[in-house]
Every structure is written in structure tokens, then in C-alpha cells.
Amino acid sequence: MSAWSVRLAGAAKGEDGEHSGPVSESRTFVIEDSLGYLVNRMARLMAHELAERIRPAGVAIGQWSVLLFLWARDGMTQAELSRVVAIEPPTVVRTIDRMVRDGLVTRAPDPDDGRLSRIYLTERARSLRDELVPLAAAVNGEILSGLTANEAQTLRRLLAKLASNGGSAPSNVSARS
């Protein structure tokens, strides 16, 4: 018998997905209690809502984070964008290809290192900032509207704290994620 069982939050304790009767395991992984599940679900819900709102401007959700970072610091390299956006370099290349096609960015060789490409916003992309950023702020505000101001601040602080640990957690961390 396995040392773990997995169940949905609504399932009766002592039941798992493979057996109809009680299980003797002492450890149960409840899917909806998983931090990974909760964070991923919220990120997907927020991304879906934002995608719907920015679509009329001709911006896809995959382009959103690239735009955000370029609005903050135009002229980043593809490698820098890959790192800050936290997506693989080939995906960044494809995203930038689409953004060039859509008239949002241009590529230019780095003046000091011709092996690097710098990514610059077009006038069109710069003009979208004041239209799209308020939409993202609204989605954030709507999601947080069910929390008190103190709860929202605590949530942000705790998520930032977890994110700052990013991958540096010891390999023997408890399997509660």
C-alpha cells in the first residue's frame, strides 16, 4: 500500500481516487489545499480575465509580460527578457517574433555586442501603456476586492517572500506543495 493518498477537498477523509473504501495511509494530499494548485489556479484565472480585456487592443496575454518589462526598461536583450519574464529563451524568441509581426516591438543589434539583439517598443506599443495598464490594475483590484486592505497587503508580502526564495528551497522541503 502507498504511503500517500490523494483526494479532492470535498471527498470524505480516508477515501482516495483509486479505492472506494478507507485507506490506511497516514498522509493525505488534498488537491485544493496545495499551494501550487491555488497559486496556479489564481494565475490562470487572472490571466484569462486580463487576456479578455487586452484582446481588443491586439495584444495577446503571452505578450503582456514582455510589454510590461519593456515599458519599465525599453531596450532589454532577449536573454534579459527571458530571465525577468521567467520563460524559456525559445519561447521569448517566438513571442518577440509575433510582437514584431504585430508592430509592437523592433529588434536592433546591440551597439557594443553584435551577437545580442535589443528589443525596443514601437510608438504603437508605447501608446498602449496608458490604455492597458489600468486594465491590469482593475483585474488585480477586482481579485483582491474580497479581501480587506490588510489581507491584500499580507497576501502580496507573503507571495513576494515566497517568490524571493524562488528555487533556493532545500531539496528536503516537506511535500505539501
Side-chain angles (χ1 to χ4, degrees):
M1 207 74 170
S2 169
W4 284 90
S5 66
V6 175
R7 71 175 172 86
L8 299 169
K13 290 189 179 191
E15 291 186 2
D16 68 13
E18 295 178 12
H19 303 88
S20 58
V23 292
S24 60
E25 294 83 9
S26 61
R27 301 173 99 180
T28 300
F29 188 93
V30 179
I31 297 167
E32 296 90 343
D33 289 344
S34 163
L35 179 61
Y37 170 83
L38 291 168
V39 170
N40 188 351
R41 179 136 170 95
M42 281 310 308
R44 287 178 181 269
L45 288 169
M46 292 179 75
H48 175 74
E49 184 60 33
L50 182 58
E52 292 299 313
R53 296 188 191 192
I54 65 176
R55 186 183 337 268
V59 175
I61 195 65
Q63 300 168 336
W64 172 248
S65 56
V66 173
L67 284 174
L68 276 178
F69 281 97
L70 290 174
W71 284 327
R73 189 170 60 110
D74 201 11
M76 296 176 79
T77 66
Q78 291 179 172
E80 289 169 330
L81 283 167
S82 176
R83 190 175 56 257
V84 297
V85 175
I87 58 178
E88 294 297 316
T91 304
V92 168
V93 170
R94 287 190 302 274
T95 299
I96 292 169
D97 286 345
R98 286 189 300 276
M99 293 176 79
V100 168
R101 179 200 68 202
D102 296 344
L104 295 168
V105 298
T106 60
R107 278 189 179 95
D110 183 282
D112 300 322
D113 186 345
R115 298 170 296 173
L116 301 176
S117 289
R118 295 217 168 258
I119 311 304
Y120 294 97
L121 295 165
T122 62
E123 247 341 283
R124 175 177 179 256
R126 279 192 285 279
S127 72
L128 288 172
R129 184 190 61 209
D130 291 343
E131 175 186 345
L132 299 184
V133 171
L135 298 177
V139 170
N140 278 283
E142 291 163 17
I143 292 294
L144 294 172
S145 68
L147 302 178
T148 66
N150 190 43
E151 288 171 332
Q153 182 181 21
T154 299
L155 177 62
R156 284 187 185 102
R157 182 180 51 77
L158 291 173
L159 288 172
K161 184 175 183 177
L162 290 173
S164 71
N165 292 339
S168 63
S171 59
N172 63 352
V173 170
S174 170
R176 292 182 298 168
S177 60

Short mmCIF file of all heavy atoms in Angstrom, two decimals, residues 3 33 38 41 43 48 50 52 61 65 68 72 78 80 83 104 108 116 125 128 130-131 137 147 163 173:
data_model
loop_
_atom_site.label_atom_id
_atom_site.label_comp_id
_atom_site.label_asym_id
_atom_site.label_seq_id
_atom_site.Cartn_x
_atom_site.Cartn_y
_atom_site.Cartn_z
N ALA A 3 2.16 5.08 0.76
CA ALA A 3 2.22 5.90 1.97
C ALA A 3 1.39 7.17 1.83
O ALA A 3 1.21 7.90 2.78
CB ALA A 3 3.67 6.26 2.29
N ASP A 33 -5.95 22.14 -1.29
CA ASP A 33 -5.15 22.75 -0.22
C ASP A 33 -3.71 22.98 -0.66
O ASP A 33 -2.93 23.59 0.08
CB ASP A 33 -5.15 21.85 1.02
CG ASP A 33 -6.49 21.82 1.72
OD1 ASP A 33 -7.33 22.71 1.43
OD2 ASP A 33 -6.71 20.92 2.55
N LEU A 38 -3.34 26.26 -5.78
CA LEU A 38 -4.02 27.54 -5.53
C LEU A 38 -3.37 28.69 -6.30
O LEU A 38 -4.06 29.50 -6.93
CB LEU A 38 -4.03 27.85 -4.03
CG LEU A 38 -4.92 26.93 -3.18
CD1 LEU A 38 -4.63 27.15 -1.70
CD2 LEU A 38 -6.38 27.16 -3.51
N ARG A 41 -3.98 28.17 -10.06
CA ARG A 41 -5.39 28.44 -10.40
C ARG A 41 -5.66 29.94 -10.43
O ARG A 41 -6.31 30.44 -11.34
CB ARG A 41 -6.31 27.75 -9.40
CG ARG A 41 -7.77 28.00 -9.67
CD ARG A 41 -8.58 26.75 -9.55
NE ARG A 41 -9.99 27.05 -9.58
CZ ARG A 41 -10.72 27.01 -10.69
NH1 ARG A 41 -10.17 26.65 -11.83
NH2 ARG A 41 -12.00 27.31 -10.67
N ALA A 43 -3.45 32.35 -10.89
CA ALA A 43 -2.71 32.93 -12.01
C ALA A 43 -3.47 32.70 -13.32
O ALA A 43 -3.58 33.61 -14.15
CB ALA A 43 -1.31 32.34 -12.10
N HIS A 48 -6.64 34.76 -17.68
CA HIS A 48 -7.79 34.66 -18.57
C HIS A 48 -8.58 35.97 -18.59
O HIS A 48 -8.95 36.47 -19.65
CB HIS A 48 -8.70 33.50 -18.14
CG HIS A 48 -9.95 33.41 -18.94
ND1 HIS A 48 -9.98 32.93 -20.23
CD2 HIS A 48 -11.22 33.77 -18.66
CE1 HIS A 48 -11.21 33.01 -20.69
NE2 HIS A 48 -11.99 33.51 -19.76
N LEU A 50 -7.53 39.02 -17.78
CA LEU A 50 -6.74 40.08 -18.41
C LEU A 50 -6.68 39.87 -19.92
O LEU A 50 -6.79 40.83 -20.69
CB LEU A 50 -5.33 40.13 -17.83
CG LEU A 50 -4.43 41.24 -18.38
CD1 LEU A 50 -5.06 42.62 -18.16
CD2 LEU A 50 -3.05 41.16 -17.76
N GLU A 52 -8.88 38.62 -21.88
CA GLU A 52 -10.14 39.09 -22.47
C GLU A 52 -10.16 40.61 -22.59
O GLU A 52 -10.67 41.16 -23.56
CB GLU A 52 -11.33 38.63 -21.62
CG GLU A 52 -11.54 37.12 -21.66
CD GLU A 52 -11.83 36.60 -23.06
OE1 GLU A 52 -12.67 37.21 -23.75
OE2 GLU A 52 -11.20 35.60 -23.45
N ILE A 61 -2.07 37.62 -24.36
CA ILE A 61 -1.62 37.52 -22.96
C ILE A 61 -0.13 37.14 -22.89
O ILE A 61 0.58 37.59 -22.00
CB ILE A 61 -2.50 36.54 -22.14
CG1 ILE A 61 -2.26 36.72 -20.65
CG2 ILE A 61 -2.29 35.11 -22.58
CD1 ILE A 61 -2.67 38.05 -20.09
N SER A 65 3.52 40.34 -20.47
CA SER A 65 4.64 40.50 -19.55
C SER A 65 5.86 41.11 -20.24
O SER A 65 6.60 41.88 -19.65
CB SER A 65 5.01 39.18 -18.86
OG SER A 65 5.27 38.19 -19.81
N LEU A 68 5.17 44.77 -20.33
CA LEU A 68 5.36 45.37 -19.00
C LEU A 68 6.83 45.68 -18.73
O LEU A 68 7.17 46.79 -18.30
CB LEU A 68 4.85 44.43 -17.91
CG LEU A 68 3.38 44.46 -17.58
CD1 LEU A 68 3.05 43.42 -16.52
CD2 LEU A 68 2.94 45.83 -17.12
N ALA A 72 8.90 49.32 -18.54
CA ALA A 72 9.75 49.69 -17.41
C ALA A 72 11.17 50.01 -17.84
O ALA A 72 11.80 50.92 -17.30
CB ALA A 72 9.76 48.57 -16.37
N GLN A 78 17.00 39.90 -25.51
CA GLN A 78 16.12 38.73 -25.43
C GLN A 78 16.46 37.89 -24.21
O GLN A 78 15.55 37.38 -23.54
CB GLN A 78 16.23 37.91 -26.72
CG GLN A 78 15.63 38.61 -27.90
CD GLN A 78 15.74 37.84 -29.21
OE1 GLN A 78 15.17 38.26 -30.18
NE2 GLN A 78 16.47 36.74 -29.26
N GLU A 80 17.74 38.93 -21.34
CA GLU A 80 17.22 39.62 -20.15
C GLU A 80 15.72 39.44 -20.03
O GLU A 80 15.20 39.17 -18.93
CB GLU A 80 17.54 41.13 -20.22
CG GLU A 80 19.00 41.46 -20.05
CD GLU A 80 19.34 42.91 -20.38
OE1 GLU A 80 18.66 43.51 -21.25
OE2 GLU A 80 20.28 43.43 -19.76
N ARG A 83 14.83 36.03 -18.73
CA ARG A 83 15.08 35.91 -17.30
C ARG A 83 13.99 36.59 -16.48
O ARG A 83 13.42 36.01 -15.57
CB ARG A 83 16.46 36.47 -16.95
CG ARG A 83 16.89 36.17 -15.53
CD ARG A 83 18.32 36.62 -15.23
NE ARG A 83 18.55 38.03 -15.51
CZ ARG A 83 19.19 38.52 -16.57
NH1 ARG A 83 19.70 37.69 -17.47
NH2 ARG A 83 19.36 39.81 -16.75
N LEU A 104 4.51 45.75 -32.46
CA LEU A 104 4.66 46.18 -31.07
C LEU A 104 6.11 46.46 -30.69
O LEU A 104 6.38 47.31 -29.83
CB LEU A 104 4.09 45.12 -30.12
CG LEU A 104 2.58 44.90 -30.22
CD1 LEU A 104 2.16 43.65 -29.46
CD2 LEU A 104 1.83 46.13 -29.71
N ALA A 108 16.96 45.32 -32.69
CA ALA A 108 18.12 46.05 -33.18
C ALA A 108 19.37 45.43 -32.58
O ALA A 108 19.35 45.01 -31.43
CB ALA A 108 18.03 47.53 -32.79
N LEU A 116 24.18 40.23 -29.72
CA LEU A 116 22.95 40.45 -28.96
C LEU A 116 21.96 41.29 -29.75
O LEU A 116 22.34 42.20 -30.47
CB LEU A 116 23.26 41.17 -27.64
CG LEU A 116 24.22 40.49 -26.67
CD1 LEU A 116 24.48 41.39 -25.47
CD2 LEU A 116 23.65 39.15 -26.22
N ALA A 125 3.18 50.43 -29.39
CA ALA A 125 3.26 49.78 -28.08
C ALA A 125 3.35 50.80 -26.95
O ALA A 125 2.71 50.64 -25.91
CB ALA A 125 4.46 48.84 -28.03
N LEU A 128 0.00 52.16 -26.10
CA LEU A 128 -0.92 51.24 -25.45
C LEU A 128 -0.78 51.20 -23.93
O LEU A 128 -1.69 50.74 -23.23
CB LEU A 128 -0.74 49.83 -26.01
CG LEU A 128 -1.23 49.59 -27.43
CD1 LEU A 128 -0.80 48.21 -27.91
CD2 LEU A 128 -2.74 49.75 -27.51
N ASP A 130 -0.92 53.42 -21.48
CA ASP A 130 -1.93 54.10 -20.66
C ASP A 130 -3.32 53.51 -20.84
O ASP A 130 -4.21 53.76 -20.02
CB ASP A 130 -1.94 55.59 -20.96
CG ASP A 130 -0.67 56.28 -20.48
OD1 ASP A 130 0.05 55.70 -19.64
OD2 ASP A 130 -0.41 57.41 -20.93
N GLU A 131 -3.51 52.70 -21.87
CA GLU A 131 -4.78 52.01 -22.07
C GLU A 131 -4.80 50.67 -21.35
O GLU A 131 -5.81 50.29 -20.75
CB GLU A 131 -5.01 51.79 -23.58
CG GLU A 131 -6.24 50.98 -23.92
CD GLU A 131 -6.33 50.66 -25.41
OE1 GLU A 131 -5.61 51.29 -26.22
OE2 GLU A 131 -7.12 49.77 -25.76
N ALA A 137 -4.53 46.76 -13.63
CA ALA A 137 -4.77 47.24 -12.26
C ALA A 137 -6.20 46.91 -11.84
O ALA A 137 -6.44 46.51 -10.68
CB ALA A 137 -4.51 48.74 -12.18
N LEU A 147 -10.95 40.80 -0.18
CA LEU A 147 -10.05 40.84 0.98
C LEU A 147 -10.06 42.25 1.59
O LEU A 147 -10.33 43.22 0.89
CB LEU A 147 -8.62 40.51 0.57
CG LEU A 147 -8.37 39.16 -0.11
CD1 LEU A 147 -6.90 39.03 -0.49
CD2 LEU A 147 -8.78 38.00 0.79
N ALA A 163 8.33 34.13 -3.49
CA ALA A 163 8.96 34.29 -4.81
C ALA A 163 10.44 34.62 -4.66
O ALA A 163 11.25 34.18 -5.48
CB ALA A 163 8.25 35.37 -5.61
N VAL A 173 12.51 19.87 1.46
CA VAL A 173 11.31 20.58 1.88
C VAL A 173 10.14 19.60 1.93
O VAL A 173 10.03 18.71 1.10
CB VAL A 173 10.99 21.75 0.90
CG1 VAL A 173 9.62 22.34 1.18
CG2 VAL A 173 12.04 22.81 1.02
#
